């Protein structure tokens, strides 16, 4: 899958991911009204609104982008119906040729991690049959439990040719509370980065490993250090746009080959129609506003890369 991600990035010339984080207050009124007319103001109605909203955004942007990142929390809050909308979104994006990064942030003791890995990336056995339950291409994983929480994910990735993005330095304001703590003079995020590089060596694709890392766009100096600590790992960089990250901050997340990083924006793309810059599209044409926001994001990042 890392090869498909790289080839999609090269084809689109767009090292970006559209984050499908469909919060209810981003979904235009007309989409919600239609869904509620059909299913009422129910969990089913909410799930239908999410699905229709995602579908329009994917239809309007899929030729410009290599990958999407549905954030499972936004679906899970609507229970089983929300999870059905998550799965429908995963399948639809894959049918459009997009790489799907399931933002599920899992990680537990070994046996539990194995079940998470099976559910999201692998195949589950039911009697004599096997099923791919959620079937994303990549998953985000939390390394706090250590190697035995990560290894089951790696095993499934090796079997299924899938991949991981392991949290190394997150974009949020309090990420330093634990992640920046010094251990023998080194910050914890750097030790985790070294571990990701080691795990990555075991899981090499052609140029890059299929074990990647998450490093927030909001910490560009740390990104520069971590790029060197994990030279063969792809870095998923969230925090562009709504959290303040800009193209110029991100150049050091990339390797000299122009590869090695993929920048996520969720609200900045899917709720673009609410920004003044894209207001001319109106809520009716929210998908076209998202398309314009994708074009601007790609231009911003590529320009920064050309000028470095
Ligand atoms: O793993 C992630 O994707 C992630 C890690 C991180 O450090 N920071 C971060 O914002 N994210 C996710 O990236 C998305 C960011 O959304 P926006 O701020 O709307 O672009 C959300 O789905 C977050 O859960």
């Amino acid at each position: 899958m890392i090869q498909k991600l790289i080839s999609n990035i090269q084809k689109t010339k767009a090292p970006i991911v559209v984050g499908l984080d469909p919060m209810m207050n981003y979904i235009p009124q007309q989409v919600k009204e239609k869904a509620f007319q059909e299913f009422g103001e129910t969990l089913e109605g909410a799930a239908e609104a999410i699905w229709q909203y995602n579908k329009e955004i994917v239809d309007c942007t899929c030729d410009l982008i290599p990958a999407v990142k549905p954030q499972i929390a936004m679906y899970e809050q609507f229970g089983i119906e929300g999870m059905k909308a998550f799965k429908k979104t995963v399948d639809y994006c894959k049918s459009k040729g997009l790489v799907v990064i399931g933002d599920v942030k899992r990680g537990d003791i070994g046996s539990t991690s194995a079940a998470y890995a099976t559910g999201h990336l692998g195949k589950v056995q039911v009697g004599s049959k096997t099923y791919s339950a959620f079937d994303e291409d990549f998953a985000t994983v939390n390394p706090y439990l250590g190697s035995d929480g990560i290894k089951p994910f790696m095993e499934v990735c090796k079997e299924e040719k899938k991949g991981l993005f392991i949290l190394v330095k997150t974009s949020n304001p309090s990420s330093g509370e634990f992640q920046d703590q010094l251990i023998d003079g080194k910050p914890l995020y750097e030790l985790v980065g070294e571990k990701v590089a080691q795990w990555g060596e075991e899981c090499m694709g052609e140029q890059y490993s299929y074990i990647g890392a998450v490093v927030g766009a909001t910490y560009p100096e740390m990104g520069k250090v971590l790029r060197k600590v994990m030279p063969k790992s792809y870095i998923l960089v969230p925090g562009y746009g709504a959290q303040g990250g800009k193209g110029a901050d991100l150049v050091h997340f990339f390797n000299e080959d122009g590869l090695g990083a993929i920048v996520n924006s969720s609200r900045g793309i899917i709720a673009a129609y609410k920004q003044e810059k894209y207001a001319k599209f109106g809520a009716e044409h929210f998908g076209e506003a998202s398309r314009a926001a994708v074009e601007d994001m790609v231009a911003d990042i590529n320009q920064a890369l050309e000028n470095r």
Side-chain angles (χ1 to χ4, degrees), residues 87-149:
K87 174 62 176 155
K88 232 160 137 174
T89 300
V90 169
D91 289 348
Y92 188 68
C93 292
K94 286 172 70 171
S95 79
K96 294 281 177 184
L98 298 170
V99 168
V100 177
I101 302 167
D103 192 356
V104 298
K105 293 197 181 67
R106 300 301 150 105
D108 209 310
I109 63 163
S111 51
T112 309
S113 272
Y116 278 136
T118 297
H120 284 284
L121 301 172
K123 294 193 183 73
V124 70
Q125 188 84 32
V126 184
S128 59
K129 304 219 161 88
T130 53
Y131 298 92
S132 300
F134 284 110
D135 207 17
E136 300 104 302
D137 299 315
F138 285 82
T140 55
V141 174
N142 188 328
Y144 197 69
L145 281 90
S147 297
D148 54 13

Side-chain angles (χ1 to χ4, degrees), residues 18-181:
V18 170
L20 297 174
D21 300 38
M23 276 172 77
M24 265 295 137
N25 58 347
Y26 306 154
I27 303 182
Q29 207 49 37
Q30 77 275 9
V31 177
K32 284 191 279 206
E33 273 166 19
K34 192 153 179 275
F36 294 164
Q37 264 167 24
E38 203 176 339
F39 295 99
E41 290 183 344
T42 60
L43 295 172
E44 225 178 335
E48 173 66 11
I50 286 174
W51 158 242
Q52 293 299 341
Y53 177 58
N54 281 350
K55 183 173 179 300
E56 179 69 12
I57 291 167
V58 171
D59 286 344
C60 288
T61 58
C62 63
D63 59 317
L64 300 178
I65 60 172
V68 290
K69 182 176 74 70
Q71 162 53 255
I72 204 164
M74 302 303 173
Y75 304 78
E76 212 170 297
Q77 62 185 326
F78 300 102
I80 305 297
E81 298 303 330
M83 296 304 278
K84 284 187 194 163
F86 177 84
K87 174 62 176 155
K88 232 160 137 174
T89 300
V90 169
D91 289 348
Y92 188 68
C93 292
K94 286 172 70 171
S95 79
K96 294 281 177 184
L98 298 170
V99 168
V100 177
I101 302 167
D103 192 356
V104 298
K105 293 197 181 67
R106 300 301 150 105
D108 209 310
I109 63 163
S111 51
T112 309
S113 272
Y116 278 136
T118 297
H120 284 284
L121 301 172
K123 294 193 183 73
V124 70
Q125 188 84 32
V126 184
S128 59
K129 304 219 161 88
T130 53
Y131 298 92
S132 300
F134 284 110
D135 207 17
E136 300 104 302
D137 299 315
F138 285 82
T140 55
V141 174
N142 188 328
Y144 197 69
L145 281 90
S147 297
D148 54 13
I150 294 289
K151 292 272 158 122
F153 283 98
M154 288 167 61
E155 290 312 312
V156 171
C157 286
K158 283 179 196 166
E159 273 164 39
E160 304 288 337
K161 307 272 172 287
K162 295 199 173 178
L164 304 177
F165 289 103
I166 298 175
L167 300 181
V168 171
K169 171 67 189 171
T170 59
S171 66
N172 52 310
S174 32
S175 73
E177 251 172 56
F178 302 139
Q179 296 164 21
D180 297 2
Q181 287 294 318

